[in-house]
Amino acid sequence: MKTLDAIVIGAGFVGVATAMKLRRSGLKNILIVEQGSWPFQRASTYNQSRVHRGYHYPRNIETAMYAATSYEQFIREYAQAIIPGTESYYVIARGSKTSSEEFLTFCKTLNAPIYDITRDRKHHFNMEKIETVFRVEEAFFDPYMMYKILADRSEGMGIKLQVNTKVEEVIDAGSHLIVSGPGFKAAAGIVVNASYSGINKIKGFVPDFSNEIKYELAEIAHVEAPKEYMNKAYTIIDGPYFSLTPRSNTKYHNLSHVTHTPRAEVVDTGNGEELLDEGYTSNVEEMIADAATYMPSLETSIPRGSHYETKVILTKHEQDDGRPMVIKSLDSRSFSILGGKIDSISSGVLDGFARRLSLGDRL
């Protein structure tokens, strides 16, 4: 059995980006294994396609700074996937956990562009419930173009991808690690588990996050909003509010709500906990009704279905919404990466991780 330089488990954005950074750092024989029939399924594709610049996290400066410092690099690296012409707005609700003054100060700390346009946009809102409307500079990406870019680049670098391959165990064989599952067995000098919602489901010699994470089943509603919202994204903060973001390659929007989007949750204790994305009656009507109390014209939005995704949340960040990228290791060969937001794939965290491994100065 030939020993590869590295095996990466999980072909989402973080897994593929990690493999590419390992390749650029000098590792040659790299295999990505994916349980699904295609890469970039589930969370990598079924999200709101927002390139976070930090605006979303006024209660967690670490995550906000992390996003802000990765933003421009991500835009440069994946310029072909950036959707042109999207206008983005963050709106402070009355009673928000973050006041308008605090949000302005926060954005200045991030060096993130922000403009108070309340006077120009107030006709869109119920001003009894809204304090300030800010226009910001925050991009959105086409997930299918991201898929094409990453797939083409990784293939061009000689990185191999094997789909329909479930990994169940990593075995310490001394000089190398053996990765195995039904009908699959391979050896590698380095193993990186980047399987996101499957992060705790691989047994053996691999780090896990037992009792540190919870799974949250989220309903993202698809709505046909009034034409005036075409190519516009609105996020009401900071508390039990909502986001309305353009759904790429369609005339629809994604609508998510802090209260009505979460449908179920469970803390992962390492005993095989999971959530099923079936058997739920949609909350889209409740989402539209509440959103319309802030933006009255949304009352005419037409539901066009929903999708469900499993989000992985570090329990210690439940109250502050922190979404850092976390890398764990058992030794210099076995690692698990719990990814943060999409722009994290352009962050210095992955670059530093890959560089240390290639130089032998391992975590």
Side-chain angles (χ1 to χ4, degrees):
M1 181 170 49
K2 181 181 178 181
T3 302
L4 298 156
D5 288 339
I7 292 176
V8 177
I9 304 167
F13 290 151
V14 170
V16 175
T18 298
M20 290 168 59
K21 290 182 184 294
L22 291 174
R23 180 68 186 89
R24 291 191 184 109
S25 293
L27 301 182
K28 295 181 179 179
N29 300 311
I30 301 172
L31 173 67
I32 305 171
V33 291
E34 166 60 38
Q35 180 174 337
S37 57
W38 207 251
F40 313 109
Q41 294 181 335
R42 305 302 300 179
S44 285
T45 299
Y46 293 121
N47 54 42
Q48 291 186 311
S49 304
R50 187 198 304 266
V51 186
H52 280 277
R53 197 170 194 159
Y55 300 107
H56 218 70
Y57 301 101
R59 287 180 285 126
N60 189 276
I61 191 64
E62 179 185 5
T63 298
M65 289 297 296
Y66 184 73
T69 55
S70 301
Y71 183 83
E72 296 295 346
Q73 180 65 26
F74 181 91
I75 298 295
R76 287 193 296 270
E77 282 191 275
Y78 302 101
Q80 292 172 290
I82 302 303
I83 300 171
T86 303
E87 299 176 18
S88 190
Y89 303 89
Y90 276 75
V91 182
I92 307 298
R94 296 190 186 278
S96 169
K97 295 178 182 178
T98 303
S99 70
S100 298
E101 292 76 14
E102 289 169 336
F103 192 66
L104 276 169
T105 300
F106 163 75
C107 290
K108 289 178 182 178
T109 300
L110 299 183
N111 197 28
I114 184 168
Y115 312 93
D116 185 341
I117 60 161
T118 308
R119 181 176 298 178
D120 295 335
R121 285 276 163 177
K122 64 182 180 180
H123 60 284
H124 284 287
F125 299 92
N126 173 4
M127 294 308 295
E128 292 182 0
K129 303 196 75 168
I130 294 299
E131 185 175 298
T132 317
V133 182
F134 293 110
R135 181 169 64 83
V136 302
E137 295 180 14
E138 189 170 63
F140 288 77
F141 67 93
D142 179 339
Y144 300 101
M145 181 57 72
M146 279 294 299
Y147 151 72
K148 187 177 187 307
I149 292 170
L150 284 167
D152 288 349
R153 289 179 184 176
S154 59
E155 183 179 1
M157 296 168 74
I159 296 169
K160 303 299 183 184
L161 170 66
Q162 184 167 323
V163 297
N164 296 315
T165 302
K166 182 179 181 179
V167 172
E168 293 182 337
E169 187 175 18
V170 177
I171 301 167
D172 182 2
S175 61
H176 57 272
L177 302 176
I178 296 174
V179 179
S180 65
F184 173 75
K185 181 178 285 188
I190 296 168
V191 172
V192 180
N193 177 13
S195 55
Y196 192 60
S197 60
I199 199 84
N200 282 351
K201 294 180 172 58
I202 299 169
K203 305 303 180 184
F205 197 72
V206 63
D208 68 23
F209 288 80
S210 296
N211 298 304
E212 296 179 56
I213 60 175
K214 74 172 185 179
Y215 303 125
E216 179 183 277
L217 184 64
E219 178 188 0
I220 309 299
H222 310 161
V223 300
E224 186 174 349
K227 291 182 180 179
E228 64 197 83
Y229 296 110
M230 187 67 68
N231 300 321
K232 295 179 175 63
Y234 288 91
T235 300
I236 312 294
I237 61 171
D238 181 15
Y241 309 124
F242 67 94
S243 286
L244 181 77
T245 58
R247 185 166 174 76
S248 63
N249 298 315
T250 76
K251 63 181 180 179
Y252 305 143
H253 280 73
N254 285 327
L255 177 61
S256 63
H257 193 286
V258 171
T259 302
H260 299 300
T261 282
R263 304 309 308 274
E265 64 179 45
V266 61
V267 174
D268 191 333
T269 63
N271 292 318
E273 294 87 350
E274 62 179 310
L275 296 171
L276 300 177
D277 57 352
E278 55 188 33
Y280 293 91
T281 301
S282 175
N283 276 347
V284 63
E285 297 290 353
E286 289 86 346
M287 294 186 205
I288 292 173
D290 189 71
T293 66
Y294 295 87
M295 301 175 70
S297 61
L298 289 179
E299 184 178 15
T300 62
S301 298
I302 303 170
R304 297 298 187 188
S306 295
H307 71 262
Y308 294 82
E309 74 175 75
T310 299
K311 296 183 177 182
V312 180
I313 300 170
L314 287 160
T315 52
K316 69 179 182 180
H317 287 297
E318 284 186 84
Q319 300 306 313
D320 65 14
D321 288 337
R323 298 291 186 270
M325 174 175 281
V326 180
I327 301 176
K328 279 190 171 188
S329 65
L330 288 184
D331 66 2
S332 60
R333 301 164 298 158
S334 179
F335 303 88
S336 289
I337 297 179
L338 186 59
K341 295 299 179 179
I342 178 67
D343 44 306
S344 65
I345 68 176
S346 296
S347 74
V349 175
L350 280 183
D351 287 317
F353 168 67
R355 187 163 49 250
R356 286 193 293 270
L357 290 186
S358 67
L359 295 174
D361 181 19
R362 298 182 183 167
L363 296 175

